[in-house]
Amino acid sequence: MATESFEEVFASDEVGVPADRRTHFRHSGHQATRRDLTAAEFAELLAEASEGDRVPTPRPTPATWDRSELDAEGVVELIGGLPFRGNDDHQRRRRRAARTLLTWLAQFEGATWQERWINGGLEDAQRTWVGQVLATYPDLGSRSVRSLTCEIHTGMMALLAGQIIRPAYRWLLAQHFNFTLIQTRRMIDPDGFARMEAHCDKTDRTGQCRTGAMNCVAMILLNKGGYVADITVDDCVDFAAAMRVSHRAARHVTLFYSLLFEMGILGDDAPPTLAAARAPGQRTVQQMVDSYRIVSPRVRELLIAYLTIRKPELDYASLRGLASTLCLTYWRDLEKHHPGIDSIDLAPEVAAAWKHRLKTIRESKQRKGQKREKPERVMLAVRAFYLDLAQWAVTDPARWGPWGVPCPIRANECVGTKRERASKARMHQRTRQRAPVLPTLVATAERLKKEAVARVEAARAVAPREGFTIGGETFIRGGGDIAKTTFVFDTETGRRRNFGLEEDEAFWGWAIVEVLRHTGIRVEELMELTHHSFVAYTLPSTGEVVPMLQIAPSKTDRERLILVSPELGDVLTAIIHRVRNGKAVLPLVSRYDHHEHVHSPLLPFLFQRRIYMRDSATNRNFVARCIDNILLASGLTDASGEPLRFTPHDFRRIFATDAIRTGLPPHIAAKILGHTNVNTTMRYAAIYSDDVIAHHRAFIARRRSLRPGAEYRDLTPEEWQEFLGHFELRKLELGVCTRDFGSPCVHEHACIRCPALRPDPAQAPRLREIIANLHARVDEAKQQGWLGEIAGLEVSLAAANDKLAAMNRLTERHGPVHLGMPDFRPATGLQG
């Protein structure tokens, strides 16, 4: 075998990686494609990646320990006694490889092997450490560079598994030590990793994510030492931050933390998720104020004192909003435009300039330069700030007296009646535009769910790497035994698709739309529904058991009960069946409240998914994405031709509008929606306001009281016959006319176009004949060039198709159920 030169072996950056795998690493986004980072650079990136997170206090990597203080022969003897896999020949090679690497490390100063490892500078050469060893190797001799490279890798595996050295995370995460980590797990803590594997088997965690999670735990032990049971929450947070800097797979990070938490290793008071462990939680008032970098120390202390007094009466979200208004929108804006300002007693021109700037958003990067819709809310908060200080200055002049200054905002400047009316009009117009297309959205969600299920079943019906056709498209199923997530390749585009993931999103999109439209709850209330939300209420009068849905306190801190309709019950049953997935109970997960900045305790949430072998509650972004996917598939557009947008709150407004329009009293609707004020409910409903209805009813009552009673006479027989005859004339060819009594036919008896025609499902064959005749007439008109006739016929054809669809819906909703023919002959003794 010819001896290879150093340059030939290390021409590639992926030292020690086989040639057939280098392309994979080059395009997989691993650390192999990045340059080596020094300790200072890694620390800087780590601080940047962890900005806003809780600062952890992990266990320090020990400077020295017993095994690192052994001499070379003691290390070789220790490695020879470790239970590595392989025969005696493999063990001899492993001892020789360890001695080779120890010989190289011995040339550096240090009392322990850990000190020599650090002084050797290999931690700064994450990718090319083998090349650095070979470049300064004392005696290369006639051995090939490639054989010596393999030996150095083997020696490093032995030193790591034997806990002789403990590299930093930046070096460990730059390597591809899959086999080394497997051996490490067996050497360092076999019992602990055996417990983890047993827990993975018990909770149905298999595959690559499981291996990655186990490797994460192994790397923590390689750096910190100890056993699996010694790992702390801060160790996990510290390692997760290093993973983000190294651009390693985040799914392994979340899974390894979940495994440690479920096994009870992190302690009873540990946060339930890695995100909860990283989150700083609720900030103090001082931290809020200091985050805005206020220059004036006097005003800074004033704002801290003011917000501290207001804190008990506000929830955390409202407190953050008030702090942002006073510190950022108000005072920081003044400091930027008036440097050196140190008093809240503003000159008239300063106050006027601030009010003018307030009309435009300046503090948000995403919305900077846009018009502020409701500046009155900001001025109202600032005015309340001044008035509170003035009142406190009277009751406690020693503390608040210097701040009792005139308020620069007048009371009438905080009133935005015109803007409120415009906002209400826009909201009502939005509701009126979306309410008619809600049935289309619901039908699209149902269709997408059925199509996704059909695709998954078709893919799982074929063997791996076999083709199949569904919906006019041809796919090839991916290789491997895929039982839960089905990957396929589109033969036309070559794009890989995950039918399992598509089916999952289609189901949750359907479930989200159905629950929102049947309940009118807020999106945060939707995500807080749990299995415990079902309440059985027994009517005291009849003893009937009525299913109710308990809505947890959210915006108004008031819980409420909603009646579960049969349709809603079917949806919730499907959700529970899916989440349970054959288990006796629903998985317990934690949900992050982005308003309060806290994580909930472990609860059986209904809206949860299994992602990367970890159960997690859905968030607002997933809800919005599911609704957007349904809208995209529906093809709905607004008046300008742009794609129509739905938000979860649109379903709430439509629910309120339909409830009041169909006769539900407004105060009952307010209770169902969780409004403390009935005016809020009427503001949601895109109908006449309650004062208009009340005045109209009062007007009718006054008219009746003023008119003589003789005018309220009984009907004559002729008038009654006229009334009955009117309804006898309602019977039509395709159904029944539902226009009001005494009203003329505005469509001039073009019934097939009239929305007042209620179609009869029994006349569906006749309507199909009419549709076929209309198609023939359209074809004839096109041949003859009768353009005006074509336009009229197409309108009639579209209306006929709508009537046929309405017939089909009525048939599906009220279809007959065949109960069979009862047989009484056995009971009477008669046979045959």
Side-chain angles (χ1 to χ4, degrees):
M1 176 179 178
T3 301
E4 300 152 304
S5 65
F6 175 81
E7 290 78 6
E8 291 174 343
V9 174
F10 294 98
S12 172
D13 288 338
E14 299 100 9
V15 178
V17 179
D20 58 340
R21 296 181 63 193
R22 290 175 187 168
T23 303
H24 167 73
F25 287 127
R26 186 177 294 113
H27 296 286
S28 62
H30 285 272
Q31 184 71 10
T33 61
R34 293 172 55 87
R35 66 180 182 85
D36 297 337
L37 298 174
T38 63
E41 292 173 335
F42 192 85
E44 182 180 355
L45 291 175
L46 191 64
E48 181 180 348
S50 304
E51 185 177 0
D53 293 349
R54 181 179 64 86
V55 179
T57 55
R59 294 177 296 156
T61 302
T64 181
W65 57 97
D66 295 342
R67 293 190 177 186
S68 185
E69 295 174 354
L70 296 173
D71 57 11
E73 291 304 322
V75 172
V76 173
E77 183 179 355
L78 173 67
I79 291 173
L82 294 177
F84 284 102
R85 293 179 180 177
N87 52 32
D88 294 340
D89 184 54
H90 293 156
Q91 193 72 332
R92 286 193 298 271
R93 293 179 184 176
R94 199 170 291 114
R95 289 195 298 268
R96 184 183 66 185
R99 186 177 285 108
T100 299
L101 195 55
L102 291 173
T103 302
W104 184 85
L105 287 173
Q107 61 181 318
F108 300 102
E109 294 183 357
T112 63
W113 296 111
Q114 178 71 6
E115 292 180 3
R116 299 184 187 105
W117 161 262
I118 296 175
N119 294 333
L122 292 189
E123 289 199 348
D124 291 334
Q126 289 98 28
R127 299 173 304 161
T128 59
W129 66 275
V130 178
Q132 185 169 329
V133 172
L134 291 179
T136 58
Y137 195 74
D139 185 17
L140 184 60
S142 61
R143 299 180 59 183
S144 68
V145 175
R146 187 168 296 278
S147 65
L148 192 56
T149 299
C150 295
E151 186 169 298
I152 292 173
H153 273 285
T154 304
M156 178 58 68
M157 180 190 68
L159 296 184
L160 292 176
Q163 291 277 272
I164 310 301
I165 60 174
R166 289 173 180 166
Y169 287 143
R170 61 191 176 97
W171 187 87
L172 288 171
L173 292 171
Q175 315 305 319
H176 303 285
F177 278 164
N178 289 333
F179 181 73
T180 300
L181 294 173
I182 293 174
Q183 294 284 12
T184 300
R185 299 201 300 263
R186 297 181 64 250
M187 301 300 113
I188 297 179
D189 188 6
D191 295 336
F193 283 102
R195 284 183 55 206
M196 290 191 68
E197 291 182 354
H199 181 74
C200 289
D201 294 335
K202 181 181 178 180
T203 55
D204 195 22
R205 267 86 172 234
T206 59
Q208 188 178 11
C209 290
R210 164 179 171 170
T211 303
M214 306 274 282
N215 288 342
C216 289
V217 177
M219 279 189 275
I220 293 178
L221 298 185
L222 285 176
N223 177 259
K224 302 297 182 184
Y227 300 96
V228 174
D230 299 329
I231 296 177
T232 65
V233 172
D234 286 347
D235 290 344
C236 299
V237 175
D238 184 44
F239 177 74
M243 288 277 281
R244 292 201 302 274
V245 174
S246 301
H247 298 274
R248 298 297 286 266
R251 55 191 178 184
H252 300 160
V253 180
T254 56
L255 180 58
F256 99 82
Y257 185 93
S258 299
L259 294 177
L260 295 175
F261 175 80
E262 294 168 7
M263 294 171 62
I265 292 175
L266 301 179
D268 297 335
D269 57 346
T273 62
L274 180 62
R278 287 170 44 197
Q282 295 184 351
R283 295 186 296 176
T284 64
V285 171
Q286 182 175 347
Q287 291 173 336
M288 289 183 191
V289 176
D290 289 342
S291 66
Y292 298 107
R293 299 180 177 88
I294 294 178
V295 178
S296 172
R298 294 180 65 249
V299 177
R300 170 186 171 275
E301 294 177 0
L302 170 65
L303 292 172
I304 292 175
Y306 177 78
L307 293 173
T308 301
I309 295 177
R310 293 291 309 275
K311 180 179 179 180
E313 64 189 50
L314 301 173
D315 57 26
Y316 184 72
S318 301
L319 182 64
R320 286 191 300 118
L322 181 60
S324 175
T325 299
L326 296 179
C327 299
L328 180 63
T329 310
Y330 167 61
W331 187 253
R332 276 298 293 157
D333 183 82
L334 291 173
E335 287 187 336
K336 289 179 181 178
H337 294 85
H338 305 280
I341 188 172
D342 196 36
S343 173
I344 62 173
D345 189 6
L346 306 182
E349 61 274 9
V350 174
W354 175 76
K355 295 174 187 177
H356 178 74
R357 293 192 300 270
L358 189 62
K359 298 178 181 179
T360 306
I361 298 176
R362 299 172 180 271
E363 60 274 8
S364 174
K365 294 181 180 179
Q366 293 79 11
R367 302 173 57 196
K368 188 174 183 179
Q370 297 181 10
K371 181 180 178 181
R372 194 185 302 273
E373 293 184 0
K374 298 178 180 180
E376 296 82 8
R377 293 186 176 181
V378 177
M379 288 192 284
L380 183 62
V382 176
R383 178 175 170 80
F385 170 64
Y386 275 88
L387 296 183
D388 286 340
L389 294 179
Q391 182 179 0
W392 298 346
V394 175
T395 58
D396 189 2
R399 181 180 182 184
W400 303 105
W403 304 107
V405 298
C407 179
I409 302 174
R410 298 187 301 274
N412 60 352
E413 293 178 318
C414 301
V415 179
T417 306
K418 184 176 181 181
R419 288 191 179 90
E420 287 292 334
R421 288 198 298 264
S423 175
K424 181 179 179 181
R426 288 194 303 269
M427 185 173 64
H428 285 184
Q429 179 61 25
R430 183 183 179 93
T431 303
R432 295 188 187 101
Q433 187 180 27
R434 283 155 179 76
V437 301
L438 181 59
T440 303
L441 186 68
V442 173
T444 303
E446 180 74 23
R447 174 177 60 83
L448 292 178
K449 182 172 74 77
K450 293 181 179 179
E451 291 177 353
V453 171
R455 286 196 297 267
V456 170
E457 293 176 350
R460 290 177 178 168
V462 300
R465 297 186 178 87
E466 286 191 4
F468 63 96
T469 301
I470 183 171
E473 297 179 298
T474 303
F475 303 94
I476 298 177
R477 186 182 178 184
D481 185 13
I482 306 173
K484 295 183 179 179
T485 55
T486 306
F487 292 93
V488 299
F489 294 90
D490 192 331
T491 57
E492 183 176 352
T493 62
R495 185 169 63 95
R496 191 178 84 154
R497 294 172 59 180
N498 187 346
F499 278 176
L501 181 61
E502 292 178 6
E503 188 274 336
D504 185 68
E505 293 191 355
F507 172 83
W508 287 114
W510 167 80
I512 289 168
V513 169
E514 289 293 322
V515 174
L516 287 177
R517 79 182 185 94
H518 282 299
T519 61
I521 59 178
R522 303 178 180 93
V523 62
E524 57 268 20
E525 295 169 343
L526 172 83
M527 295 183 294
E528 290 175 357
L529 291 177
T530 68
H531 202 188
H532 304 312
S533 299
F534 290 99
V535 178
Y537 175 71
T538 303
L539 296 177
S541 57
T542 62
E544 180 184 359
V545 178
V546 179
M548 308 287 287
L549 192 64
Q550 185 179 19
I551 307 300
S554 60
K555 186 175 181 180
T556 58
D557 288 335
R558 298 176 63 184
E559 65 178 4
R560 62 190 191 276
L561 293 174
I562 294 179
L563 180 66
V564 177
S565 63
E567 296 84 358
L568 179 60
D570 292 340
V571 177
L572 296 176
T573 301
I575 293 174
I576 294 174
H577 178 74
R578 185 181 187 90
V579 175
R580 182 178 290 167
N581 194 22
K583 299 182 178 65
V585 295
L586 271 68
L588 301 179
V589 297
S590 175
R591 175 184 170 272
Y592 180 70
D593 189 340
H594 72 282
H595 290 297
E596 296 298 320
H597 286 200
V598 294
H599 281 77
S600 72
L602 295 175
L603 294 171
F605 287 107
L606 295 184
F607 285 84
Q608 60 170 289
R609 306 164 61 214
R610 193 171 181 85
I611 305 174
Y612 298 132
M613 302 185 185
R614 185 177 64 88
D615 299 310
S616 61
T618 57
N619 52 35
R620 300 168 66 97
N621 293 335
F622 178 75
V623 172
R625 186 171 79 243
C626 289
I627 296 176
D628 289 343
N629 291 340
I630 298 174
L631 285 169
L632 183 63
S634 67
L636 295 172
T637 58
D638 55 17
S640 62
E642 296 294 327
L644 192 65
R645 295 297 304 274
F646 255 85
T647 64
H649 220 67
D650 288 326
F651 294 95
R652 182 172 173 85
R653 297 189 183 103
I654 295 174
F655 178 87
T657 301
D658 290 342
I660 296 178
R661 182 178 294 167
T662 53
L664 186 68
H667 68 283
I668 301 298
K671 292 291 184 182
I672 294 175
L673 293 171
H675 290 154
T676 57
N677 191 338
V678 71
N679 292 329
T680 305
T681 306
M682 297 307 299
R683 188 173 183 271
Y684 270 45
I687 55 177
Y688 290 111
S689 56
D690 53 350
D691 58 341
V692 175
I693 298 175
H695 281 83
H696 185 261
R697 287 179 175 176
F699 170 75
I700 296 297
R702 288 196 303 271
R703 287 287 303 272
R704 287 180 176 176
S705 63
L706 294 175
R707 296 184 68 84
E711 293 188 5
Y712 298 96
R713 57 180 176 79
D714 294 333
L715 294 175
T716 63
E718 292 78 11
E719 292 173 335
W720 179 248
Q721 290 300 325
E722 181 185 358
F723 178 77
L724 295 179
H726 170 82
F727 289 98
E728 291 177 357
L729 297 176
R730 296 297 184 90
K731 185 65 176 178
L732 302 173
E733 177 186 14
L734 298 178
V736 178
C737 179
T738 60
R739 60 186 171 88
D740 297 336
F741 171 70
S743 60
C745 181
V746 297
H747 292 281
E748 298 180 357
H749 302 286
C751 298
I752 198 169
R753 301 185 185 181
C754 182
L757 172 64
R758 180 177 178 82
D760 183 6
Q763 302 301 324
R766 182 179 296 275
L767 181 57
R768 292 190 182 94
E769 294 178 3
I770 294 175
I771 292 175
N773 179 264
L774 287 173
H775 279 292
R777 293 179 62 188
V778 169
D779 293 340
E780 181 184 4
K782 290 181 179 179
Q783 293 175 0
Q784 300 297 332
W786 301 333
L787 300 182
E789 190 73 15
I790 292 174
L793 290 173
E794 287 181 345
V795 173
S796 298
L797 184 59
N801 287 324
D802 292 340
K803 294 295 186 294
L804 183 60
M807 288 182 178
N808 294 334
R809 288 195 297 269
L810 290 173
T811 302
E812 294 176 358
R813 186 182 306 171
H814 306 291
V817 179
H818 181 66
L819 301 178
M821 179 62 68
D823 189 359
F824 301 99
R825 288 175 296 177
T828 57
L830 299 177
Q831 301 294 332

